[in-house]
Amino acid sequence: MSGAAAPRRLQPSFLASLRQRISLRRLALVSLALNLFLGAILGAMLVGNTGKPPPYRPMPDRFVEHVAADLSDADAARLRAVFEPLRPRYDALSQDYREDGQRVRSLLQAEPVDFDSLNAAIATARAKRRQIGELTEQTVLSVLPDLSPDGRLRLVGGWGTGGPAVSPKK
């Protein structure tokens, strides 16, 4: 009888030991998976980020090159040509806008904050940004008649077609 009782006593400790080993194995696997995941994220961040901001491109270059990428070569050349003579105007407006932004930052750093001056500076900066936008809109509207029908649709994002035009770039 003592032989039959001994396996029963060993069985609960054996199961507990087995459960503990399985739990430790699961914990080790979860830890390994988490470390691999975090390592992959860190690796992607290091590879994808050179630490440098993208090069500064003044207006209208940022806008024109972004839009021209979707146009045919001829339409892109027309778009660039219409914006080129406006470069001095964009440079002056952009410089004014940067100065207005610096004025806003200076007022925010002052102690105490003069909210009336801050609101006026924000309104001035907003007006300058609006002028840049309006100049861009008027310039785009002026070039539309010179673009191909496909170029006009691409320029406005394919309005009326349910989305951007899908024909390949010419």
Side-chain angles (χ1 to χ4, degrees), residues 34 54 97 155 166:
L34 182 60
Y97 181 62
L155 190 65
V166 293

PDB file of all heavy atoms in Angstrom, residues 34 54 97 155 166:
ATOM      1  N   LEU A  34       8.764  40.315 -26.935  1.00  0.00           N
ATOM      2  CA  LEU A  34       8.718  41.745 -26.635  1.00  0.00           C
ATOM      3  C   LEU A  34      10.059  42.400 -26.959  1.00  0.00           C
ATOM      4  O   LEU A  34      10.108  43.484 -27.551  1.00  0.00           O
ATOM      5  CB  LEU A  34       8.348  41.966 -25.167  1.00  0.00           C
ATOM      6  CG  LEU A  34       8.210  43.410 -24.716  1.00  0.00           C
ATOM      7  CD1 LEU A  34       7.121  44.111 -25.514  1.00  0.00           C
ATOM      8  CD2 LEU A  34       7.889  43.464 -23.233  1.00  0.00           C
ATOM      9  N   PRO A  54      14.385  67.679 -43.047  1.00  0.00           N
ATOM     10  CA  PRO A  54      14.436  67.792 -44.501  1.00  0.00           C
ATOM     11  C   PRO A  54      14.950  69.174 -44.885  1.00  0.00           C
ATOM     12  O   PRO A  54      14.770  70.131 -44.135  1.00  0.00           O
ATOM     13  CB  PRO A  54      12.983  67.594 -44.938  1.00  0.00           C
ATOM     14  CG  PRO A  54      12.168  67.735 -43.723  1.00  0.00           C
ATOM     15  CD  PRO A  54      13.044  67.502 -42.542  1.00  0.00           C
ATOM     16  N   TYR A  97       6.490  86.874 -42.981  1.00  0.00           N
ATOM     17  CA  TYR A  97       5.785  85.858 -42.184  1.00  0.00           C
ATOM     18  C   TYR A  97       6.701  85.280 -41.106  1.00  0.00           C
ATOM     19  O   TYR A  97       6.295  85.084 -39.964  1.00  0.00           O
ATOM     20  CB  TYR A  97       5.257  84.759 -43.114  1.00  0.00           C
ATOM     21  CG  TYR A  97       4.490  83.681 -42.402  1.00  0.00           C
ATOM     22  CD1 TYR A  97       3.320  83.972 -41.713  1.00  0.00           C
ATOM     23  CD2 TYR A  97       4.926  82.358 -42.432  1.00  0.00           C
ATOM     24  CE1 TYR A  97       2.606  82.975 -41.059  1.00  0.00           C
ATOM     25  CE2 TYR A  97       4.224  81.367 -41.786  1.00  0.00           C
ATOM     26  CZ  TYR A  97       3.067  81.678 -41.098  1.00  0.00           C
ATOM     27  OH  TYR A  97       2.368  80.696 -40.447  1.00  0.00           O
ATOM     28  N   LEU A 155      -4.205  68.677 -61.144  1.00  0.00           N
ATOM     29  CA  LEU A 155      -3.874  69.823 -60.311  1.00  0.00           C
ATOM     30  C   LEU A 155      -4.901  70.035 -59.208  1.00  0.00           C
ATOM     31  O   LEU A 155      -4.549  70.378 -58.082  1.00  0.00           O
ATOM     32  CB  LEU A 155      -3.755  71.086 -61.167  1.00  0.00           C
ATOM     33  CG  LEU A 155      -3.193  72.305 -60.462  1.00  0.00           C
ATOM     34  CD1 LEU A 155      -1.752  72.059 -60.047  1.00  0.00           C
ATOM     35  CD2 LEU A 155      -3.257  73.512 -61.371  1.00  0.00           C
ATOM     36  N   VAL A 166      -6.185  58.682 -62.310  1.00  0.00           N
ATOM     37  CA  VAL A 166      -5.395  57.466 -62.172  1.00  0.00           C
ATOM     38  C   VAL A 166      -4.552  57.155 -63.411  1.00  0.00           C
ATOM     39  O   VAL A 166      -3.855  56.171 -63.426  1.00  0.00           O
ATOM     40  CB  VAL A 166      -6.285  56.241 -61.847  1.00  0.00           C
ATOM     41  CG1 VAL A 166      -6.873  56.394 -60.478  1.00  0.00           C
ATOM     42  CG2 VAL A 166      -7.363  56.064 -62.893  1.00  0.00           C
TER      43      VAL A 166
END
